[in-house]
Amino acid sequence: MRLELKAEMFSEDTYIKRRNRLKAQVGSGLILLPGNDESPMNFAANTYPFRQDSTFLYFLGLDVPGLAAIIDLDEGTECVFGEDPSFEEIVWTGPQVLLRDRCEQVGVTCTAPRTKLEQILTEAARQRRTVHFLPQDRPENVLKIWRWLGVAPDTVGRHISEPLIRAVVQQRSVKSPEEIEQIEAALAVSYEMHTAAMRMARPGAAEREVVAAVEAIATSHGVRTAFPTVLSTHGETLHNPCHDNVLRAGDIVVNDSGAESPLHYASDITRTIPVAGRFSQRQRDVYAIVQAAQEQGIAAAKPGVEWRQVHRLAAVALLEGLKGLGIVKGEPQEAAAAGAHTLFFPCGVGHMMGLDVHDMRSLGEDYVGYTDTITRNPEFGWRSLRLAKPVEPGFVVTVEPGIYFMPHLIDRWRAESKCDQFIDYGRLEAWRDFRGVRIEDDIVITEHGCRILGPRVATTIEEVEALACS
Ligand code: GLY
């Protein structure tokens, strides 16, 4: 099916309003927003697919390499710096839209060559004006900051602007209806990716063949995946990067994959698929526990609820289910308080999602998921929570509980008798090779609750089995 994905940039007005809000929040000085460059795979002209910096996309929408922007808060000016391709470059790339025409579409009237940017920043440094910039993940952008501002690469982290980070995080956290539309476009693609994987997951198929088919769907819609596809019969490894196995009857496959929308908003869905089309009784039992935990998490998600409470709720639901299987003993609330769930669920129940699959992670997870009073719990499992603070209308969050049997972790805990009042290590032995189950959907927090975004991929045991054997 050919999806009609809306590929036009947002209106000029959207980008102008975003920048105006940023200006009002940060107040004075200059804001420096470096865009990304092409990244060589093995030599400069042979590059990885270009991905623009997400904050640059958010405020300027310009999806081409080699740009940077300065917003002068004191002068009230904004300018984008970059070069149009030379006559000779066009021989290789074909004609390109001129930078000034691109900038007009997003309400920026000033464009200039990059040499001008260096002059402006040198002058700002001479006048001791504050230049606000964000944490930089790309090494070449760290080097640019060094060249432009004289900040040595290993000290860049000490010069980032906390007011700018906070202003950007506050704005990007709340998604507008047009952003939700983009996320749902990405989810329409990931719906097809997951449905195809369910149909393909038959005995004898290689994981890499299924991955190829899943990723081809994104390519066929003119978009790319939002993160490296996780698709493995070893679903107990949370972000398993290998696709080396051949599927066998009796296996279950965790497929954690998602596409970007045309404007680069992410989707992130996980389903667990029975290879021969039917879950075994033990697989059904674990799947049903994870599904119940996800349902409880989604039912609890509403404005003002701390996400760490949603995580705790899911953890208790998982422990209750595992108690029913005889693996966990004692009172589930107490077991969760002691951290017993982290043997089976050592990650968080969800993360913010938007222009990045882990939204704004490069700006600092603590700014995105925590507050001055809700700080990271350093305990194993808990410290992996990317989001703990109360959620607000417009936040887009994943809900992704799972149960993972990791032999190395089980052996370590057992040797340390860790939480042995809550875990029946004798019974657990029979499950050590079970592997993993995860179910993940993306939700938006609404005024009174939440809404599951996108077309819902088959989720119940019956729905998944019907597709897996079709
Ligand atoms: N679902 C992939 C990730 O969270 O990174």
Side-chain angles (χ1 to χ4, degrees), residues 61-74:
L62 303 169
D63 196 6
V64 286
L67 305 179
I70 290 182
I71 301 175
D72 187 326
L73 300 167
D74 308 315

Side-chain angles (χ1 to χ4, degrees), residues 131-340:
V131 179
H132 301 272
F133 62 88
L134 296 168
Q136 301 296 320
D137 265 349
R138 297 246 179 146
E140 60 271 25
N141 282 351
V142 172
L143 294 179
K144 284 181 207 164
I145 301 273
W146 184 21
R147 195 169 69 239
W148 294 337
L149 301 176
V151 176
D154 54 354
T155 67
V156 162
R158 293 209 296 272
H159 292 82
I160 55 179
S161 164
E162 194 163 326
L164 180 59
I165 295 173
R166 289 189 187 280
V168 171
V169 168
Q170 194 183 47
Q171 213 178 138
R172 282 183 56 190
S173 292
V174 178
K175 274 65 182 179
S176 66
E178 58 193 352
E179 291 182 284
I180 298 293
E181 201 183 330
Q182 281 290 316
I183 291 171
E184 296 210 278
L187 281 160
V189 179
S190 52
Y191 173 87
E192 288 191 14
M193 291 160 68
H194 280 269
T195 303
M198 286 182 191
R199 294 205 166 110
M200 271 191 81
R202 293 170 179 277
E207 286 173 355
R208 63 173 82 99
E209 289 166 351
V210 186
V211 172
V214 161
E215 296 189 346
I217 289 170
T219 308
S220 76
H221 290 301
V223 295
R224 291 203 300 267
T225 53
F227 52 90
T229 299
V230 177
L231 190 148
S232 179
T233 55
H234 276 283
E236 77 280 10
T237 301
L238 299 178
H239 283 173
N240 199 330
C242 305
H243 309 126
D244 293 341
N245 301 301
V246 173
L247 311 186
R248 297 166 312 173
D251 282 343
I252 44 174
V253 184
V254 167
N255 173 20
D256 180 349
S257 55
E260 284 196 342
S261 73
L263 298 190
H264 300 288
Y265 285 82
S267 58
D268 184 2
I269 297 288
T270 306
R271 288 294 185 271
T272 304
I273 314 165
V275 167
R278 290 274 174 270
F279 289 105
S280 69
Q281 188 56 49
R282 277 164 38 125
Q283 290 165 350
R284 292 175 84 87
D285 291 343
V286 174
Y287 193 98
I289 295 168
V290 175
Q291 200 198 337
Q294 197 209 28
E295 279 169 7
Q296 287 188 39
I298 292 172
K302 61 178 179 194
V305 170
E306 290 178 11
W307 199 251
R308 63 184 175 181
Q309 299 304 349
V310 175
H311 177 83
R312 194 183 308 275
L313 200 72
V316 170
L318 296 175
L319 286 166
E320 271 165 0
L322 291 168
K323 185 175 175 184
L325 298 181
I327 301 170
V328 163
K329 46 193 183 171
E331 209 284 309
Q333 298 272 3
E334 281 176 31

